[in-house]
Amino acid sequence: MISSKMKEKLASGSAIRKMFEEGNRLKAIYGAENVFDFSIGNPDLEPPKEVKDALKDLANNPTPGMHGYMSNSGFESTRAIIAKKRGEEADMEIDASAVCMTVGAASAMNDVLHSILDDGDEVIVLAPFFMEYINYIENHNGKVVIVQTDDNFMPDMDAIAKAITPKTKAIIVNSPNNPSGVVYSAEQLTKINELLNTQDHIIHVISDEPYIDLVYDGLTVPAALSYIDNLIICFSWSKSLSLPGERIGYTLVSPKHADYDDLTGAIVLSNRTLGSVNAPAIWQKVIEKSIYAKVDVANYEYRRNLLYGNIVGAGFEAVNPNGALYIFMKTPAGLTDKEFADVCAKYNLLLVPGASFSRPGYCRLAFCVSETTIKNSKAAFEKIALELGINK
């Protein structure tokens, strides 16, 4: 008999994964070219040349012990070059001890939450948010406190202040945001820091940053390290290097963090005791050799523009994202987001209801799909608009 908690989670499942499986089913029936699956953020671009060259070089010129154990925090050389890069971005000195290599950002966040949460501690999450945060927090017996952002999906300082209690242990921020694509400004990060510094206990800020390299229209993402004191970064190369299946990421504790020494040690211990032991050895070495590489961001910007054009061209409303890989589309009046998703599915167009991200009234579409899929979806959007009586 499995635990009652797991039984409940199995029953609820993941809306994204369900839509992904539905997409595979429809493709088998109608052909991939006739199914417009925008449900999952699975990057389809190949990794950059620097990554491929690094992997080939390591395979052809192995060093002794390259595949063996190392410190649970990862190779010193890998952590040092990450610390150097992040220090350059934030104009501060960062030691390699701040960094712990992890099995992607999911592992990073679980390591952090395991390190800071006692039973019943509260973690504030800003809606809309990546729904797995709920599982990560509950994995470590924490309590999820959902706070809605404002109409532009930016942090609502008054709402955050009202949500803080003596049990508040952390707040998760995600910029660029999944699913809305908004990027928090330096001013907004400063306001979060100022609010938390007025509290009578330390509140950690967990910055989930898998999309910081994916921004558009000439925008740059402010370095959270420069504006927030008690910061812990969770990072993954899944999106910026198109390596979601390789599971490589890290945590980084700000040198300004009041609990720096205890926290860096606790995260390394959590990394081991939660079962990761260490991040994949060869991918740590690949990262060392390709630390400044990025996927073709201009390609994603082009696809964003195509998909956004299809959506608004058919008469729908949507947020034009500054970053990440998603468009948050407004649900037409009179329909729930689930009802709208069901209408779209009749035309083989798959998207994820906003309720999955704790923001009903919207649906998320991932534009990290083929250009052909986006172009071919134009007619489907128009047919859906026609059925719903949407006027351009």
Side-chain angles (χ1 to χ4, degrees), residues 312-344:
V312 299
F316 298 105
E317 295 181 54
V319 177
N320 194 14
N322 294 129
L325 296 172
Y326 315 102
I327 291 178
F328 217 31
M329 177 181 178
K330 197 166 186 179
T331 303
L335 292 176
T336 67
D337 45 1
K338 175 64 168 63
E339 289 168 342
F340 179 59
D342 289 342
V343 172
C344 291

mmCIF file of all heavy atoms in Angstrom, residues 312-344:
data_model
loop_
_atom_site.group_PDB
_atom_site.id
_atom_site.type_symbol
_atom_site.label_atom_id
_atom_site.label_comp_id
_atom_site.label_asym_id
_atom_site.label_seq_id
_atom_site.Cartn_x
_atom_site.Cartn_y
_atom_site.Cartn_z
ATOM 1 N N VAL A 312 -3.052 36.852 -31.305
ATOM 2 C CA VAL A 312 -3.739 38.148 -31.353
ATOM 3 C C VAL A 312 -4.358 38.393 -32.725
ATOM 4 O O VAL A 312 -5.389 39.079 -32.843
ATOM 5 C CB VAL A 312 -2.792 39.301 -30.955
ATOM 6 C CG1 VAL A 312 -2.289 39.119 -29.532
ATOM 7 C CG2 VAL A 312 -1.625 39.427 -31.932
ATOM 8 N N GLY A 313 -3.762 37.798 -33.768
ATOM 9 C CA GLY A 313 -4.328 37.939 -35.101
ATOM 10 C C GLY A 313 -5.696 37.293 -35.220
ATOM 11 O O GLY A 313 -6.540 37.736 -36.014
ATOM 12 N N ALA A 314 -5.946 36.255 -34.425
ATOM 13 C CA ALA A 314 -7.249 35.586 -34.429
ATOM 14 C C ALA A 314 -8.246 36.292 -33.513
ATOM 15 O O ALA A 314 -9.420 35.895 -33.468
ATOM 16 C CB ALA A 314 -7.082 34.129 -33.995
ATOM 17 N N GLY A 315 -7.773 37.305 -32.775
ATOM 18 C CA GLY A 315 -8.688 38.075 -31.932
ATOM 19 C C GLY A 315 -8.596 37.800 -30.449
ATOM 20 O O GLY A 315 -9.380 38.346 -29.668
ATOM 21 N N PHE A 316 -7.635 36.950 -30.032
ATOM 22 C CA PHE A 316 -7.476 36.646 -28.615
ATOM 23 C C PHE A 316 -6.518 37.636 -27.957
ATOM 24 O O PHE A 316 -5.758 38.346 -28.633
ATOM 25 C CB PHE A 316 -6.949 35.222 -28.438
ATOM 26 C CG PHE A 316 -7.867 34.156 -28.968
ATOM 27 C CD1 PHE A 316 -7.578 33.497 -30.164
ATOM 28 C CD2 PHE A 316 -9.018 33.802 -28.282
ATOM 29 C CE1 PHE A 316 -8.414 32.516 -30.669
ATOM 30 C CE2 PHE A 316 -9.871 32.820 -28.779
ATOM 31 C CZ PHE A 316 -9.568 32.174 -29.968
ATOM 32 N N GLU A 317 -6.520 37.652 -26.619
ATOM 33 C CA GLU A 317 -5.600 38.494 -25.850
ATOM 34 C C GLU A 317 -4.522 37.626 -25.225
ATOM 35 O O GLU A 317 -4.775 36.490 -24.825
ATOM 36 C CB GLU A 317 -6.338 39.233 -24.738
ATOM 37 C CG GLU A 317 -7.370 40.246 -25.207
ATOM 38 C CD GLU A 317 -8.032 40.934 -24.028
ATOM 39 O OE1 GLU A 317 -7.301 41.485 -23.174
ATOM 40 O OE2 GLU A 317 -9.273 40.898 -23.945
ATOM 41 N N ALA A 318 -3.310 38.183 -25.147
ATOM 42 C CA ALA A 318 -2.211 37.439 -24.542
ATOM 43 C C ALA A 318 -1.152 38.396 -24.043
ATOM 44 O O ALA A 318 -1.069 39.549 -24.484
ATOM 45 C CB ALA A 318 -1.597 36.465 -25.550
ATOM 46 N N VAL A 319 -0.339 37.908 -23.115
ATOM 47 C CA VAL A 319 0.826 38.644 -22.640
ATOM 48 C C VAL A 319 1.964 38.387 -23.616
ATOM 49 O O VAL A 319 2.272 37.235 -23.929
ATOM 50 C CB VAL A 319 1.233 38.175 -21.225
ATOM 51 C CG1 VAL A 319 2.494 38.889 -20.767
ATOM 52 C CG2 VAL A 319 0.098 38.391 -20.243
ATOM 53 N N ASN A 320 2.589 39.463 -24.122
ATOM 54 C CA ASN A 320 3.762 39.298 -24.980
ATOM 55 C C ASN A 320 4.981 39.187 -24.063
ATOM 56 O O ASN A 320 5.390 40.175 -23.454
ATOM 57 C CB ASN A 320 3.900 40.487 -25.930
ATOM 58 C CG ASN A 320 4.880 40.205 -27.061
ATOM 59 O OD1 ASN A 320 5.258 39.065 -27.301
ATOM 60 N ND2 ASN A 320 5.291 41.247 -27.759
ATOM 61 N N PRO A 321 5.556 37.996 -23.918
ATOM 62 C CA PRO A 321 6.555 37.783 -22.864
ATOM 63 C C PRO A 321 7.901 38.418 -23.174
ATOM 64 O O PRO A 321 8.351 38.438 -24.316
ATOM 65 C CB PRO A 321 6.678 36.253 -22.820
ATOM 66 C CG PRO A 321 6.341 35.811 -24.207
ATOM 67 C CD PRO A 321 5.286 36.771 -24.690
ATOM 68 N N ASN A 322 8.560 38.914 -22.121
ATOM 69 C CA ASN A 322 9.916 39.449 -22.246
ATOM 70 C C ASN A 322 10.972 38.358 -22.182
ATOM 71 O O ASN A 322 12.116 38.581 -22.584
ATOM 72 C CB ASN A 322 10.188 40.466 -21.140
ATOM 73 C CG ASN A 322 9.320 41.710 -21.263
ATOM 74 O OD1 ASN A 322 8.671 42.110 -20.299
ATOM 75 N ND2 ASN A 322 9.299 42.320 -22.435
ATOM 76 N N GLY A 323 10.595 37.193 -21.630
ATOM 77 C CA GLY A 323 11.568 36.120 -21.476
ATOM 78 C C GLY A 323 10.890 34.779 -21.353
ATOM 79 O O GLY A 323 9.672 34.651 -21.508
ATOM 80 N N ALA A 324 11.707 33.748 -21.068
ATOM 81 C CA ALA A 324 11.264 32.355 -20.938
ATOM 82 C C ALA A 324 10.769 31.816 -22.276
ATOM 83 O O ALA A 324 11.121 32.334 -23.332
ATOM 84 C CB ALA A 324 10.219 32.201 -19.830
ATOM 85 N N LEU A 325 9.930 30.782 -22.239
ATOM 86 C CA LEU A 325 9.553 30.057 -23.456
ATOM 87 C C LEU A 325 8.042 29.918 -23.617
ATOM 88 O O LEU A 325 7.583 29.012 -24.312
ATOM 89 C CB LEU A 325 10.186 28.652 -23.436
ATOM 90 C CG LEU A 325 11.708 28.619 -23.478
ATOM 91 C CD1 LEU A 325 12.217 27.187 -23.245
ATOM 92 C CD2 LEU A 325 12.241 29.161 -24.799
ATOM 93 N N TYR A 326 7.276 30.834 -22.997
ATOM 94 C CA TYR A 326 5.841 30.641 -22.952
ATOM 95 C C TYR A 326 5.084 31.944 -23.220
ATOM 96 O O TYR A 326 5.571 33.039 -22.914
ATOM 97 C CB TYR A 326 5.421 30.113 -21.570
ATOM 98 C CG TYR A 326 6.318 29.014 -21.082
ATOM 99 C CD1 TYR A 326 7.311 29.261 -20.134
ATOM 100 C CD2 TYR A 326 6.204 27.721 -21.596
ATOM 101 C CE1 TYR A 326 8.166 28.249 -19.709
ATOM 102 C CE2 TYR A 326 7.057 26.705 -21.178
ATOM 103 C CZ TYR A 326 8.037 26.979 -20.232
ATOM 104 O OH TYR A 326 8.884 25.990 -19.825
ATOM 105 N N ILE A 327 3.886 31.780 -23.762
ATOM 106 C CA ILE A 327 2.933 32.876 -23.876
ATOM 107 C C ILE A 327 1.741 32.549 -22.989
ATOM 108 O O ILE A 327 1.212 31.433 -23.035
ATOM 109 C CB ILE A 327 2.494 33.083 -25.336
ATOM 110 C CG1 ILE A 327 3.670 33.625 -26.173
ATOM 111 C CG2 ILE A 327 1.299 34.033 -25.419
ATOM 112 C CD1 ILE A 327 3.353 33.808 -27.644
ATOM 113 N N PHE A 328 1.351 33.505 -22.164
ATOM 114 C CA PHE A 328 0.207 33.343 -21.276
ATOM 115 C C PHE A 328 -0.984 34.016 -21.957
ATOM 116 O O PHE A 328 -1.056 35.241 -22.047
ATOM 117 C CB PHE A 328 0.517 33.972 -19.925
ATOM 118 C CG PHE A 328 -0.040 33.218 -18.745
ATOM 119 C CD1 PHE A 328 -0.189 31.844 -18.759
ATOM 120 C CD2 PHE A 328 -0.398 33.891 -17.584
ATOM 121 C CE1 PHE A 328 -0.686 31.150 -17.661
ATOM 122 C CE2 PHE A 328 -0.897 33.220 -16.486
ATOM 123 C CZ PHE A 328 -1.036 31.845 -16.524
ATOM 124 N N MET A 329 -1.907 33.216 -22.423
ATOM 125 C CA MET A 329 -3.029 33.669 -23.251
ATOM 126 C C MET A 329 -4.280 33.811 -22.387
ATOM 127 O O MET A 329 -4.603 32.921 -21.591
ATOM 128 C CB MET A 329 -3.265 32.641 -24.355
ATOM 129 C CG MET A 329 -4.426 32.897 -25.266
ATOM 130 S SD MET A 329 -4.519 31.519 -26.466
ATOM 131 C CE MET A 329 -5.970 32.006 -27.387
ATOM 132 N N LYS A 330 -4.983 34.908 -22.546
ATOM 133 C CA LYS A 330 -6.174 35.151 -21.736
ATOM 134 C C LYS A 330 -7.338 34.303 -22.235
ATOM 135 O O LYS A 330 -7.573 34.184 -23.432
ATOM 136 C CB LYS A 330 -6.550 36.630 -21.783
ATOM 137 C CG LYS A 330 -7.507 37.054 -20.679
ATOM 138 C CD LYS A 330 -7.577 38.560 -20.561
ATOM 139 C CE LYS A 330 -8.421 38.971 -19.360
ATOM 140 N NZ LYS A 330 -8.494 40.431 -19.204
ATOM 141 N N THR A 331 -8.053 33.705 -21.291
ATOM 142 C CA THR A 331 -9.226 32.906 -21.638
ATOM 143 C C THR A 331 -10.367 33.821 -22.081
ATOM 144 O O THR A 331 -10.642 34.824 -21.415
ATOM 145 C CB THR A 331 -9.671 32.072 -20.423
ATOM 146 O OG1 THR A 331 -8.589 31.258 -19.991
ATOM 147 C CG2 THR A 331 -10.850 31.190 -20.784
ATOM 148 N N PRO A 332 -11.038 33.509 -23.189
ATOM 149 C CA PRO A 332 -12.166 34.349 -23.630
ATOM 150 C C PRO A 332 -13.261 34.435 -22.571
ATOM 151 O O PRO A 332 -13.471 33.493 -21.797
ATOM 152 C CB PRO A 332 -12.666 33.629 -24.884
ATOM 153 C CG PRO A 332 -11.501 32.841 -25.375
ATOM 154 C CD PRO A 332 -10.743 32.423 -24.142
ATOM 155 N N ALA A 333 -13.929 35.554 -22.533
ATOM 156 C CA ALA A 333 -15.003 35.776 -21.551
ATOM 157 C C ALA A 333 -16.065 34.693 -21.664
ATOM 158 O O ALA A 333 -16.414 34.246 -22.759
ATOM 159 C CB ALA A 333 -15.632 37.154 -21.777
ATOM 160 N N GLY A 334 -16.549 34.243 -20.509
ATOM 161 C CA GLY A 334 -17.613 33.248 -20.479
ATOM 162 C C GLY A 334 -17.140 31.823 -20.409
ATOM 163 O O GLY A 334 -17.954 30.896 -20.271
ATOM 164 N N LEU A 335 -15.825 31.605 -20.507
ATOM 165 C CA LEU A 335 -15.277 30.247 -20.445
ATOM 166 C C LEU A 335 -14.246 30.158 -19.326
ATOM 167 O O LEU A 335 -13.482 31.096 -19.100
ATOM 168 C CB LEU A 335 -14.589 29.871 -21.759
ATOM 169 C CG LEU A 335 -15.454 29.689 -23.007
ATOM 170 C CD1 LEU A 335 -14.551 29.426 -24.204
ATOM 171 C CD2 LEU A 335 -16.448 28.551 -22.827
ATOM 172 N N THR A 336 -14.223 29.028 -18.637
ATOM 173 C CA THR A 336 -13.105 28.759 -17.743
ATOM 174 C C THR A 336 -11.902 28.371 -18.598
ATOM 175 O O THR A 336 -12.054 28.028 -19.785
ATOM 176 C CB THR A 336 -13.419 27.619 -16.767
ATOM 177 O OG1 THR A 336 -13.537 26.389 -17.507
ATOM 178 C CG2 THR A 336 -14.709 27.889 -15.997
ATOM 179 N N ASP A 337 -10.730 28.419 -18.007
ATOM 180 C CA ASP A 337 -9.548 28.032 -18.779
ATOM 181 C C ASP A 337 -9.603 26.562 -19.190
ATOM 182 O O ASP A 337 -9.149 26.192 -20.272
ATOM 183 C CB ASP A 337 -8.253 28.364 -18.040
ATOM 184 C CG ASP A 337 -8.268 27.975 -16.574
ATOM 185 O OD1 ASP A 337 -9.272 27.426 -16.114
ATOM 186 O OD2 ASP A 337 -7.275 28.239 -15.879
ATOM 187 N N LYS A 338 -10.200 25.717 -18.344
ATOM 188 C CA LYS A 338 -10.340 24.294 -18.700
ATOM 189 C C LYS A 338 -11.307 24.138 -19.870
ATOM 190 O O LYS A 338 -11.052 23.351 -20.807
ATOM 191 C CB LYS A 338 -10.843 23.513 -17.484
ATOM 192 C CG LYS A 338 -11.154 22.038 -17.744
ATOM 193 C CD LYS A 338 -9.911 21.237 -18.130
ATOM 194 C CE LYS A 338 -10.174 19.732 -18.104
ATOM 195 N NZ LYS A 338 -11.181 19.290 -19.076
ATOM 196 N N GLU A 339 -12.419 24.861 -19.850
ATOM 197 C CA GLU A 339 -13.384 24.785 -20.951
ATOM 198 C C GLU A 339 -12.758 25.274 -22.257
ATOM 199 O O GLU A 339 -12.962 24.685 -23.322
ATOM 200 C CB GLU A 339 -14.617 25.613 -20.618
ATOM 201 C CG GLU A 339 -15.483 25.009 -19.516
ATOM 202 C CD GLU A 339 -16.537 25.978 -19.004
ATOM 203 O OE1 GLU A 339 -16.404 27.199 -19.234
ATOM 204 O OE2 GLU A 339 -17.493 25.501 -18.346
ATOM 205 N N PHE A 340 -11.966 26.342 -22.171
ATOM 206 C CA PHE A 340 -11.308 26.866 -23.361
ATOM 207 C C PHE A 340 -10.294 25.860 -23.898
ATOM 208 O O PHE A 340 -10.202 25.629 -25.115
ATOM 209 C CB PHE A 340 -10.625 28.195 -23.051
ATOM 210 C CG PHE A 340 -9.897 28.787 -24.217
ATOM 211 C CD1 PHE A 340 -10.564 29.091 -25.397
ATOM 212 C CD2 PHE A 340 -8.535 29.041 -24.142
ATOM 213 C CE1 PHE A 340 -9.890 29.634 -26.482
ATOM 214 C CE2 PHE A 340 -7.859 29.589 -25.211
ATOM 215 C CZ PHE A 340 -8.532 29.885 -26.392
ATOM 216 N N ALA A 341 -9.541 25.222 -23.006
ATOM 217 C CA ALA A 341 -8.577 24.203 -23.429
ATOM 218 C C ALA A 341 -9.285 23.039 -24.126
ATOM 219 O O ALA A 341 -8.781 22.482 -25.107
ATOM 220 C CB ALA A 341 -7.774 23.693 -22.233
ATOM 221 N N ASP A 342 -10.473 22.697 -23.648
ATOM 222 C CA ASP A 342 -11.238 21.613 -24.281
ATOM 223 C C ASP A 342 -11.692 22.005 -25.689
ATOM 224 O O ASP A 342 -11.684 21.172 -26.603
ATOM 225 C CB ASP A 342 -12.450 21.251 -23.418
ATOM 226 C CG ASP A 342 -12.072 20.531 -22.133
ATOM 227 O OD1 ASP A 342 -10.944 20.013 -22.062
ATOM 228 O OD2 ASP A 342 -12.904 20.507 -21.200
ATOM 229 N N VAL A 343 -12.102 23.260 -25.873
ATOM 230 C CA VAL A 343 -12.477 23.731 -27.211
ATOM 231 C C VAL A 343 -11.263 23.659 -28.135
ATOM 232 O O VAL A 343 -11.355 23.180 -29.265
ATOM 233 C CB VAL A 343 -13.031 25.172 -27.151
ATOM 234 C CG1 VAL A 343 -13.237 25.716 -28.574
ATOM 235 C CG2 VAL A 343 -14.334 25.216 -26.381
ATOM 236 N N CYS A 344 -10.122 24.126 -27.659
ATOM 237 C CA CYS A 344 -8.903 24.098 -28.475
ATOM 238 C C CYS A 344 -8.521 22.678 -28.862
ATOM 239 O O CYS A 344 -8.064 22.425 -29.992
ATOM 240 C CB CYS A 344 -7.757 24.759 -27.716
ATOM 241 S SG CYS A 344 -7.946 26.541 -27.493
#
